[in-house]
Every structure is written in structure tokens, then in C-alpha cells.
Amino acid sequence: MQMGAVGYALKPTTRERLKQVFEKLEGKFTQAVKKVLLVEDDALQRESVVHLIDDEDIEITAVESGQEAIDMLCTTIFDCMIMDLKLPDMQGSELLERMSREPICCFPPVIVYTGRNLTRDEEQELLKYSRTIIIKGARSPERLLDEVTLFLHKVESQLSSERQSMLASVRSRDKVLDGRRVLLVDDDVRNIFALTGVLEQKGALVEVARDGLEAIAKLDEIHDIDLVLMDVMMPVMDGLEATRRIRADGRFNKLPIIALTAKAMRDDQEQCLNAGASDYLAKPIDIDRLYSLLRVWMPSLERL
Amino acid sequence: METGSIEIELELLMQAIYLKYSYDFRNYAGASLKRRVLHAQQEMGCSSISALQAKVVHDPNAFTALLQFLTVPTTEMFRDPAYFLALREQVIPFLKTYPSLKIWVAGCSTGEELYSMAILLHEEGLLERSIIYATDINPKSLELARKGIFALERVRSYGANYRAAGGTGSLTDYYTAAYEGALFNRELCENITFADHSLATDSVFAETHLVCCRNVMIYFNRELQERALGLFYESLCRRGFLGLGSKETIEFSPYANRFEALVRAQRIYRKI
């Protein structure tokens, strides 16, 4: 997904530094103006956001409805999109979903700016398309400005790296993971983004569960999971307990489970193995080591 | 020289503990560690630190006992009320802009600080959408924290702190008193994940919005303090918050320029 490419590097701290970056880019690219699409039905809110982020090198297009937003996205490349969830003609989630399948020019980084609290499921659903969700409140304007600033100055390097990664993925498609289904059990958004990215780049199909209970439910529901990556420290049910329960089920006695542990203690690693994990990998995860472990543990294809 | 041999014995003891039990106290601050070990030696009836070492290496129960001396839980609820007031007034409004939150209470000990945090989040309407990681190296402390039972007499004395910290109700709303004990409401714990985690040897496990680690690093030497700050830095999201104890600071550390002071007097910092 395009949105998965939103990284964490490069953080400007001050307006001055941001200005410098823009000046640099201006020299390099003819089009230095950044285009922001704002989707907000409330006129007052719309004005206040425009006022907040307006700058000489930012061009803001404000629309009121989801349909207008899609029309704009079909004709113009935007560097960033800010959207309210409550729109007159459709829900914000529907707009995002339509953006993902309709022929728009480019799926921009999306900042969801909403007045209401979200359930965990709603949040998870939105995080498929948007890394940034801001709940409106006393300090939200400050955070919105901060996030917009971040996206706008990252755009150039991000676009180019997106192209690069497209090329890279053609070259490095690893047959071992190609088309294999991996269940990633982790509650950390950052890990999910990062690991899903590297696994999908190798052609793997990634299913995500956020805790042990969800993992067990996923295994029941999806029958062709080839391997499980299991974080140890999770809410509701931790990785050790989940691994024990999965192993207790006769269907899964050969399923490779790799525990992801933040602990350096040998004890902890032994605990993972005692719980039934096939192997373990220490965090922070070294991608090369992950690949080699996956290569070792991925069951050879009998289905083909 | 008498003092010299104590230092040697101390170092050997810490090395032995590390090799045998993987608990790493080798970078704990010398003076307070020495005091604690000498206290433990006396209480555990050993004639020298070396004798204590022999006992600990051969008897895991003795190690568990020693661990209680090494990680002395000295904590209270809403300790330094001004810190909690600053969290409430200056950090919470930012946390409210996130749809869901992760908070790491590192070195949570027996949980007084943890429950204070949970109460604060509850009163600000954030507890339901938060996951709190409460970590410590002492399994006994963690078990006590998980139970959430404190001496009633002490809890009564926390009322004043609670009010000074901007509490909107009464502390008594949050616990049930029975048999000289105060049992804190289980709802406060619903989103707390208790885990054994060492700042000396383990790594980051989640992206967090707020890390609280108060009065833990004062027991560390410089090297270990830097390691801990590195973990917090790595764990925090962009513009995430860090709360330290009143005698702790990130100034003069390699991380000084990676954080800005949000409320310097209360040791509340923000990742740049």
C-alpha cells in the first residue's frame, strides 16, 4: 500500500528548518508549491484549518463532500489530504475505501481529523489508509500543523523511494515467501507497518492479529496460514499463552511459530521455546535475520 | 584496604548474579547499591558479601530474597503532585488528540505510580483508549502491582497528594477498604499489561506516546542511564512525552538535544 511507505525519518523541528528544506526543494524542482486537499463539510472548521496551515508555498483546495474529493483526486496530484470523518454524502471510511479502488491520480498521505472518539476497530480500519488520526480538541490544531508539515516536506523523497521500492520488489521477489500466508501477531502499529511492508515486498500475504485471542480466532478462520510471527508482550493474551494454546490444538502442531521478544534474557527465550515456539527473534528486528529465519522455518510447498 | 575488598566483593557478586540469573546490576550506581547489599548481607545473616554470593549462587530462593533488597520499592501515590498536575494540564490535552494511546510506566515497582496514572487517565476520559505497559524487573513487585492492594493507612495519607494533583473526585472512589488494606478497582487495571522487562538488558517492545520512569534512573550509573534514555527515545512516537523523577534529568546526557523541556521544573520532556 502507498500509505505503508510513510516513514519516520527526517523530522524538522522548527519553521526555519522547514523553510530551508523548502528552499532546497525549490531550487531542485520547478513545482515547489505543495498541494493540500481539505475535505470538511463544516464551513467554520474549514476556514480555521485553512487559516492554520496556509503558507506561501502551500496551495489548499477545500471541498465539502466525499464525491467532490474524489473528483479532485482524479484530476490533481495532492501532496497531502486532511479529512473529516463525517461528510454529508458518505462516511470518511467509505471515502478512503473508494479512493483505494477508483482511478485517482495518486493516493496522498491522509490525515484524519475527527471530532469524535473512535473504537479500536474503527481505528484499525482507518489505519489501513492513514497513519495519522487526530481527535479534535484543545491541542489538536498544533498537532495538525505538525503532521501536515511533516508530510509536506517528506513528499519528494517518499515519491522517489516508492518508485525505487517498486523496482526493488521486482528484483528481490523471494520465491520462498511468494504467495505464502504469514500471520503477524503484534499490537504495535509501528511494528505492524514495518513488518507487513518487508513481508509483502517479498510477496508474502500478511494477516494481522492484535493479541493472542485474535490470533487464535484468525487461525480458526483462515486455513492456509503457513507461519506465525508472534510478539511476546501483548495486551489481553500474551504471546506465550497464545503459543501454548495454539500448540494444544492438534491441527497446529507443525505450524511454525516464531516468537518476537524484546528481552535479551536466555530465560525469556527458553520460555518461548517451552511454550511451543519453533524459534525466536529478538527485537529490534534485523530484517536480514528475519528473512533467514523465515527461510528456515517456512514449510516447503506441498500444496502446489 | 577494607573498602577496597568490599568493592571487589560487590563487583563479583553482581557478575555472579548476572551469569547465574541474567539480572544485570553491574551498572547500578555504586553507593546506593553498596548500601543495599550491605543491608541485605546483614538481614540475610551472612558474614560477608562473598558469603552472600555463595548463598545466592546456590539457592534461587536466596536470590529472590536479595532481589527485594536490591530493588527497594520506595514509592507513594501521586508523589510530587505538581508533576501529576502538570501531566494533567499540559500533556493530557495533547494525548487527547490520539485515537488510542500507549503509555509505558517503566520500573513500576509495586504500582503506586501506576494506579495514580490510571486514575488520572480515567478522570480525563482516556483510560478506555489507553494501553498501559507496566514493567519492572522484580517479579514480587509486579505481582503486588497486579493485585493493586495497598496498606489502608498509607492510602489514606495519599488523599492530600491526590487533591494537590488536581484530582476531580475523591481517592476513596477508587478503592474498597477491607482488613487494613485498600483494594483498587479492577476497572483501573483492565488495560494494563504487566511485564518483566529490564532497562539494563532488554529492548523496546512498543511505540508509545508517553513514558514515565520516575526515580528509577537515580539508581543507575551514567552508562545505564544513557541506555534507558535510548530505549525511551526509541519507543516514543514523534513528539511523544517523557516524565522523569524530580532528581532526574536528560540534560547533560547525549539525548539532551533530542528532547525539549515541556515543563522543566517537573521533568516533563517532549521528543523532538
Side-chain angles (χ1 to χ4, degrees):
Chain A
M1 243 341 271
Q2 304 91 311
M3 291 317 301
V6 179
Y8 299 85
L10 286 176
K11 301 161 189 174
T13 51
T14 60
R15 258 189 131 62
E16 289 79 64
R17 273 192 59 191
L18 181 68
K19 276 239 162 69
Q20 282 175 12
V21 174
F22 274 148
E23 274 162 20
K24 235 185 182 168
L25 288 175
E26 220 161 351
K28 218 170 171 184
F29 302 95
T30 44
Q31 187 220 347
V33 173
K34 303 296 170 190
K35 292 195 166 113
V36 176
L37 178 61
L38 171 63
V39 195
E40 167 71 76
D41 64 322
D42 183 276
L44 258 165
Q45 298 258 13
R46 207 162 52 229
E47 246 171 73
S48 73
V49 173
V50 168
H51 185 70
L52 177 74
I53 60 174
D54 198 19
D55 207 345
E56 55 189 27
D57 41 16
I58 292 176
E59 183 187 307
I60 305 163
T61 308
V63 299
E64 293 174 38
S65 69
Q67 190 54 52
E68 282 175 274
I70 292 197
D71 293 346
M72 285 308 301
L73 285 161
C74 285
T75 56
T76 314
I77 295 175
F78 287 96
D79 299 304
C80 178
M81 171 171 155
I82 302 166
M83 60 177 288
D84 192 4
L85 284 184
K86 191 176 62 64
L87 299 171
D89 55 340
M90 63 182 87
Q91 287 294 309
S93 50
E94 188 190 337
L95 170 58
L96 285 169
E97 197 267 325
R98 281 186 55 184
M99 280 166 63
S100 71
R101 58 185 163 82
E102 289 190 18
I104 58 172
C105 301
C106 169
F107 202 120
V110 176
I111 297 174
V112 172
Y113 196 53
T114 175
R116 65 180 178 89
N117 292 346
L118 304 173
T119 65
R120 267 193 98 186
D121 287 337
E122 282 174 322
E123 187 193 358
Q124 196 67 22
E125 193 56 34
L126 288 171
L127 282 172
K128 282 187 192 161
Y129 307 103
S130 160
R131 177 69 174 81
T132 309
I133 303 173
I134 303 175
I135 312 282
K136 291 175 190 169
R139 304 316 287 263
S140 59
E142 212 172 321
R143 196 174 147 224
L144 177 62
L145 185 60
D146 204 43
E147 301 284 356
V148 170
T149 308
L150 176 76
F151 279 132
L152 290 188
H153 108 268
K154 282 168 68 78
V155 164
E156 300 300 340
S157 61
Q158 193 187 323
L159 282 180
S160 56
S161 72
E162 206 175 289
R163 286 193 59 149
Q164 279 171 8
S165 72
M166 264 171 60
L167 290 173
S169 70
V170 174
R171 261 185 278 122
S172 72
R173 266 191 164 233
D174 194 320
K175 286 280 182 285
V176 180
L177 294 181
D178 201 13
R180 312 306 295 275
R181 206 174 284 280
V182 174
L183 174 61
L184 172 61
V185 192
D186 200 322
D187 65 316
D188 191 66
V189 177
R190 188 167 50 176
N191 282 338
I192 294 173
F193 258 72
L195 286 177
T196 305
V198 298
L199 292 171
E200 283 181 348
Q201 209 183 328
K202 296 280 184 187
L205 310 164
V206 183
E207 302 289 339
V208 175
R210 288 164 300 177
D211 61 57
L213 278 183
E214 275 193 26
I216 291 169
K218 281 265 169 173
L219 282 170
D220 257 334
E221 177 193 324
I222 304 164
H223 295 289
D224 59 348
I225 288 172
D226 295 299
L227 184 144
V228 180
L229 287 174
M230 178 80 77
D231 186 31
V232 171
M233 202 191 284
M234 289 181 297
V236 188
M237 183 194 288
D238 71 21
L240 292 177
E241 181 58 26
T243 304
R244 263 180 230 118
R245 294 210 193 175
I246 293 169
R247 281 292 181 242
D249 186 326
R251 289 174 296 169
F252 304 124
N253 52 13
K254 282 192 178 156
L255 178 70
I257 303 177
I258 296 176
L260 307 176
T261 167
K263 298 172 63 66
M265 285 161 104
R266 275 162 303 180
D267 270 14
D268 194 63
Q269 297 164 349
E270 264 160 40
Q271 267 186 30
C272 292
L273 298 180
N274 289 341
S278 321
D279 208 331
Y280 53 80
L281 189 60
K283 289 184 177 184
I285 289 167
D286 178 307
I287 299 302
D288 290 333
R289 286 200 53 192
L290 174 67
Y291 282 148
S292 9
L293 259 183
L294 288 174
R295 202 162 288 137
V296 171
W297 285 105
M298 188 57 85
S300 54
L301 271 184
E302 289 155 12
R303 281 178 288 141
L304 281 181
Chain B
M1 258 172 61
E2 189 57 31
T3 42
S5 31
I6 286 185
E7 314 308 330
I8 292 168
E9 286 184 287
L10 259 181
E11 200 177 322
L12 291 173
L13 173 64
M14 295 313 145
Q15 186 67 23
I17 288 174
Y18 179 66
L19 291 176
K20 175 83 186 183
Y21 299 105
S22 302
Y23 276 81
D24 194 351
F25 289 100
R26 294 173 301 175
N27 282 316
Y28 274 53
S32 68
L33 187 68
K34 183 164 128 187
R35 207 164 48 239
R36 288 166 176 219
V37 168
L38 289 174
H39 182 215
Q41 175 205 323
Q42 208 169 22
E43 294 291 313
M44 292 171 71
C46 298
S47 57
S48 67
I49 296 179
S50 301
L52 179 64
Q53 180 186 320
K55 191 166 179 164
V56 162
V57 165
H58 294 292
D59 178 5
N61 291 327
F63 172 66
T64 308
L66 174 61
L67 192 57
Q68 308 316 310
F69 289 99
L70 296 185
T71 59
V72 177
T74 48
T75 171
E76 56 185 80
M77 289 188 78
F78 295 99
R79 182 180 191 175
D80 307 322
Y83 164 83
F84 281 94
L85 189 62
L87 276 187
R88 194 188 285 266
E89 290 176 347
Q90 314 220 31
V91 176
I92 295 285
F94 282 107
L95 297 184
K96 283 185 176 170
T97 70
Y98 293 92
S100 65
L101 286 173
K102 288 193 176 177
I103 295 167
W104 179 12
V105 181
C108 70
S109 188
T110 44
E112 283 83 347
E113 177 112 5
L114 175 68
Y115 283 88
S116 309
M117 179 63 70
I119 288 169
L120 173 65
L121 292 170
H122 168 74
E123 290 184 352
E124 294 296 329
L126 288 178
L127 187 58
E128 272 190 4
R129 57 167 131 137
S130 302
I131 288 175
I132 307 176
Y133 295 96
T135 64
D136 202 272
I137 55 166
N138 187 332
K140 277 201 173 168
S141 296
L142 273 179
E143 192 49 40
L144 286 173
R146 190 178 282 123
K147 283 190 178 136
I149 304 174
F150 304 106
L152 188 54
E153 182 189 353
R154 295 195 63 194
V155 171
R156 283 201 184 107
S157 72
Y158 299 147
N161 276 1
Y162 167 76
R163 284 187 297 277
T168 58
S170 162
L171 193 54
T172 53
D173 300 341
Y174 297 103
Y175 63 84
T176 314
Y179 309 107
E180 297 310 304
L183 169 66
F184 275 78
N185 297 349
R186 293 295 84 195
E187 295 85 70
L188 291 174
C189 285
E190 254 164 38
N191 295 330
I192 302 179
T193 302
F194 292 92
D196 171 23
H197 181 275
S198 161
L199 296 171
T201 52
D202 300 334
S203 50
V204 165
F205 49 84
E207 178 179 32
T208 55
H209 301 88
L210 166 65
V211 173
C212 297
C213 181
R214 304 183 68 222
N215 308 304
V216 174
M217 291 197 299
I218 42 173
Y219 299 112
F220 294 174
N221 72 6
R222 206 178 167 82
E223 190 185 334
L224 188 49
Q225 284 173 1
E226 280 170 18
R227 186 183 197 277
L229 286 174
L231 291 182
F232 303 152
Y233 181 81
E234 201 188 317
S235 170
L236 283 170
C237 67
R238 209 174 67 84
R239 308 294 286 140
F241 300 88
L242 172 66
L244 301 178
S246 59
K247 295 184 187 65
E248 295 159 334
T249 177
I250 55 156
E251 285 151 53
F252 321 115
S253 83
Y255 290 91
N257 59 2
R258 305 212 201 165
F259 285 91
E260 63 192 24
L262 185 72
V263 189
R264 179 173 274 118
Q266 299 308 325
R267 305 292 194 254
I268 297 174
Y269 302 93
R270 198 165 185 201
K271 179 169 166 177
I272 291 174

